[in-house]
């Protein structure tokens, strides 16, 4: 009797399992069909990224402008004399740049424009900012012959100049060359933002269109784009999970079926490869969806700059009479702190450390000149005395200012962050760590942040918020919270395979290419199987 009951129960259980299997197959196919186009888009564009970003990355003659010692004899006029001769009573800041065999004061006016005055004659260089941008572009390319087709100012990120480049505003210089090279430079810091020959321009368009889905922006808006991407990535995740469930956890059931009617050809390969690929699919889908959630808030760091207005007549000490070692002089700027005005001077360190190749990335080209370190000193603009340890104090003030904790003078511009998440005031918050970063040695502040050197300030807030301040330009370079670290490590490890760094960048990128390629192959095999039904 009991055997009969068990037999009926087993028969009933087998019908239930069969029913579940039927529905699983059905939903697995439906989910796969819904996401097949998006998977093809993402895997193809993902395959191109390591090829274009690493294996076939274009090279440029110079990636940075080497800091030179400025000869004091070239500064025939002080900044005060230059401004007075040109009837400028107020300004934002100034520094010194040298190009085309001349030395200039680069002055930021109260309306934000950059004007250039010859330090030998005090005369203004007409259209100086564009000329400097073109000179920088030619220097970075080491190309003095090619004709410049177009020179334009870029004030916001575009389809070709993505937010990952960080610098704004920049000049875009287009050259009449076979590779149609476009160079982006930030003249206020003499920095190379990025450079794009024709091949890279095409790749950026393809990646932006099919990986970031920028075409949705053209139809609707950024929010719809992010929601669509997260929705499809979630479905892809469910497809991978159902594949693991069908071909993994219920594998014994399928083995019985296959022993009676063995599966051959495409179906066999789709199952065998799919179970392993599902793990990669899950990591790509999860990290991609998680990363997409960070794109809700627009990028505002380019606007986070402290720029008080200085009156020319209120700076008594001439910059040419400063009490400093002029044999090591590299550059100069001006700041205000605690109602006191200081000249911020950059000098070559008297003793530089031994030349060592950094361990961060052995594939990077190394120039020993880049290992020379700079020293920063502050000189009181009234007393002409050097004041020690001001750089850290100034960085702390800027962090306080950018969190809306510092009082705002009417002259000082501040970004309107009313629509963004409010930053906590740093008043009475304990500073856990402060140090100067001179290279991108950690993943917390990586190469993507662009600006160096910066001062790291880690505060004892609930989110352990860390600020990275570029005191040379009075800018907020980055803000990192615990939640940002979690997302950053998720994307770095699960999406960019940084867990393979131990094998080197070439092997890491090759592994990523193989993973994306197998996902594409399995998806196409599944689609072909559906068409054959």
């Amino acid at each position: 009797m009991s055997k009969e009951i068990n037999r009926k129960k087993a028969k009933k259980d087998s019908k239930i399992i069969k029913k579940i299997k039927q529905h699983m197959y059905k939903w697995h196919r439906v989910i796969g069909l819904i996401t097949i186009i998006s998977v093809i888009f993402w895997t193809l564009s993902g395959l191109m990224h390591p090829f274009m970003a690493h294996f076939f990355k274009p090279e440029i003659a110079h990636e940075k402008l080497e800091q030179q010692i400025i000869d004091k004899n070239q500064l025939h006029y002080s900044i005060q004399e230059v401004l007075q001769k040109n009837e400028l009573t107020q300004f934002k800041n100034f520094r010194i740049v040298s190009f085309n065999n001349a030395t200039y004061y680069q002055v930021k006016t109260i309306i934000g424009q950059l004007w250039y005055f010859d330090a030998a004659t005090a005369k203004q260089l007409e259209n100086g900012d564009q000329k400097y941008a073109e000179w920088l572009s030619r220097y970075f390319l080491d190309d003095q012959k090619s004709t410049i087709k177009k020179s334009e100012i870029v004030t916001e990120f575009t389809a070709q100049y993505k937010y990952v480049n960080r610098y704004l505003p920049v000049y875009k210089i287009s050259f009449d060359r076979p590779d149609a090279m476009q160079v982006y430079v930030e003249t206020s810091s003499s920095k190379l933002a990025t450079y794009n020959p024709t091949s890279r321009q095409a790749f950026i368009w393809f990646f932006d269109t099919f990986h970031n889905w920028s075409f949705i922006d053209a139809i609707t808006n950024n929010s719809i784009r992010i929601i669509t991407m997260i929705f499809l990535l979630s479905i892809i995740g469910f497809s991978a999970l159902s594949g693991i469930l069908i071909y993994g956890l219920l594998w014994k059931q399928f083995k019985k079926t296959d022993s009676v009617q063995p599966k051959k050809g495409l179906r066999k390969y789709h199952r065998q490869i799919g179970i392993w690929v599902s793990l990669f699919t899950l990591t790509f889908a999860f990290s991609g969806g998680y990363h997409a959630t960070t794109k809700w808030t627009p990028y505002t760091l380019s606007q986070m700059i402290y720029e008080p207005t200085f009156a020319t007549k209120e700076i008594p000490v001439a910059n040419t009479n400063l009490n400093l070692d002029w044999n090591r002089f590299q550059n100069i700027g001006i700041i205000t702190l605690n109602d006191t005005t200081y000249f911020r001077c950059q000098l070559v360190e008297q003793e530089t450390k031994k030349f060592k190749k950094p361990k961060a990335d052995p594939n990077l080209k190394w120039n020993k000149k880049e290992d020379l370190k700079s020293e920063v000193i502050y000189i009181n603009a009234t007393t002409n005395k050097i004041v020690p340890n001001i750089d850290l104090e100034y960085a702390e003030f800027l962090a306080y200012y950018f969190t809306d904790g510092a009082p705002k003078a009417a002259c000082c511009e501040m970004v309107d962050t009313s629509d963004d998440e409010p930053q906590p005031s740093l008043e009475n918050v304990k500073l856990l760590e402060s140090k100067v970063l001179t290279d991108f040695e950690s993943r917390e502040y990586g190469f993507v942040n662009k600006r160096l050197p910066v001062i790291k300030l880690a505060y004892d807030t609930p989110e352990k918020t860390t600020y990275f301040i570029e005191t040379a330009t009075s800018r907020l370079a980055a803000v990192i919270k615990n939640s940002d670290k979690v997302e950053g490590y998720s994307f770095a490890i699960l999406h960019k395979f940084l867990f393979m760094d131990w094998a080197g960048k070439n092997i890491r990128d090759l592994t990523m290419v193989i993973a994306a390629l197998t996902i594409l192959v399995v998806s196409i095999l599944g689609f072909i199987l559906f068409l054959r039904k």
Side-chain angles (χ1 to χ4, degrees), residues 23 97 137 212 296 374 407 414 436 459 464 480:
H23 282 86
V97 298
S137 300
N212 297 330
W296 296 106
S374 295
M414 181 62 187
V436 178
Y459 288 92
K464 294 295 184 286
I480 307 294

Side-chain angles (χ1 to χ4, degrees), residues 366-478:
W366 183 247
N367 184 345
K368 289 185 177 181
K369 292 182 180 179
E370 296 176 6
D371 199 35
L372 294 175
K373 300 297 181 182
S374 295
E375 176 187 350
V376 175
I377 64 171
Y378 287 80
I379 300 178
N380 190 303
T382 302
T383 65
N384 200 10
K385 292 183 179 180
I386 296 175
V387 184
N389 304 322
I390 292 292
D391 208 33
L392 176 59
E393 185 180 349
Y394 185 52
E396 289 185 48
F397 162 75
L398 290 175
Y400 184 57
Y401 175 79
F402 291 128
T403 59
D404 213 24
K408 309 295 187 302
C411 65
C412 304
E413 299 176 3
M414 181 62 187
V415 179
D416 180 10
T417 57
S418 56
D419 295 332
D420 300 332
E421 181 182 347
Q423 297 286 342
S425 172
L426 296 181
E427 189 173 9
N428 300 322
V429 177
K430 182 181 178 181
L431 180 62
L432 298 176
E433 181 187 9
S434 62
K435 68 175 181 178
V436 178
L437 300 182
T438 57
D439 53 43
F440 304 108
E441 60 186 9
S442 68
R443 291 176 185 171
E444 185 180 17
Y445 188 79
F447 179 77
V448 70
N449 294 293
K450 298 290 187 178
R451 299 187 181 277
L452 278 179
V454 294
I455 294 180
K456 175 184 177 181
L457 300 171
Y459 288 92
D460 189 18
T461 63
E463 277 277 353
K464 294 295 184 286
T465 309
T466 302
Y467 298 86
F468 297 88
I469 308 293
E470 186 182 45
T471 54
T473 59
S474 300
R475 286 184 179 274
L476 177 63

Side-chain angles (χ1 to χ4, degrees), residues 464-496:
K464 294 295 184 286
T465 309
T466 302
Y467 298 86
F468 297 88
I469 308 293
E470 186 182 45
T471 54
T473 59
S474 300
R475 286 184 179 274
L476 177 63
V479 183
I480 307 294
K481 302 177 183 178
N482 279 344
S483 55
D484 298 319
K485 293 179 184 177
V486 172
E487 189 281 321
Y489 279 114
S490 164
F491 193 73
I493 294 171
L494 301 180
H495 210 87
K496 301 177 72 175

Side-chain angles (χ1 to χ4, degrees), residues 151-270:
S151 178
E152 56 189 307
I153 299 176
V154 178
T155 57
E156 59 184 22
F157 298 113
T158 66
Q160 280 293 314
Y161 186 70
K162 308 301 293 182
Y163 79 95
V164 72
N165 296 301
R166 295 298 193 268
Y167 299 122
L168 278 180
V170 294
Y171 269 88
K172 174 186 176 182
I173 311 297
S174 302
F175 286 84
D176 187 11
R177 307 191 336 172
D179 61 359
M181 180 66 79
Q182 297 173 346
V183 182
Y184 296 81
V185 296
E186 184 185 57
T187 53
S188 63
S189 64
S190 305
K191 298 286 182 66
L192 170 66
T194 191
Y195 56 98
N196 299 328
T198 303
S199 59
R200 192 170 175 83
Q201 293 169 34
F203 160 70
I204 290 173
W205 175 86
F206 187 87
F207 191 81
D208 193 44
T209 302
F210 296 107
H211 210 83
N212 297 330
W213 290 28
S214 60
F215 62 89
I216 297 182
D217 276 340
I219 301 172
T220 56
N221 55 52
N222 183 58
S223 297
I224 298 299
R225 178 178 70 90
I226 294 172
I227 291 171
T228 303
M229 291 176 71
I230 293 175
F231 173 72
L232 288 171
L233 285 168
S234 299
I235 293 178
I236 289 170
F238 283 124
S239 177
L241 284 172
S242 64
I244 292 172
L245 188 62
I246 293 171
Y247 304 131
L249 299 179
L250 298 178
W251 182 243
K252 290 183 180 180
Q253 299 294 328
F254 296 130
K255 281 182 70 177
K256 293 177 182 178
T257 307
D258 290 345
S259 62
V260 177
Q261 187 178 355
K263 306 300 180 186
K264 298 179 180 180
L266 294 179
R267 187 176 299 278
K268 177 182 178 182
Y269 292 121
H270 178 68

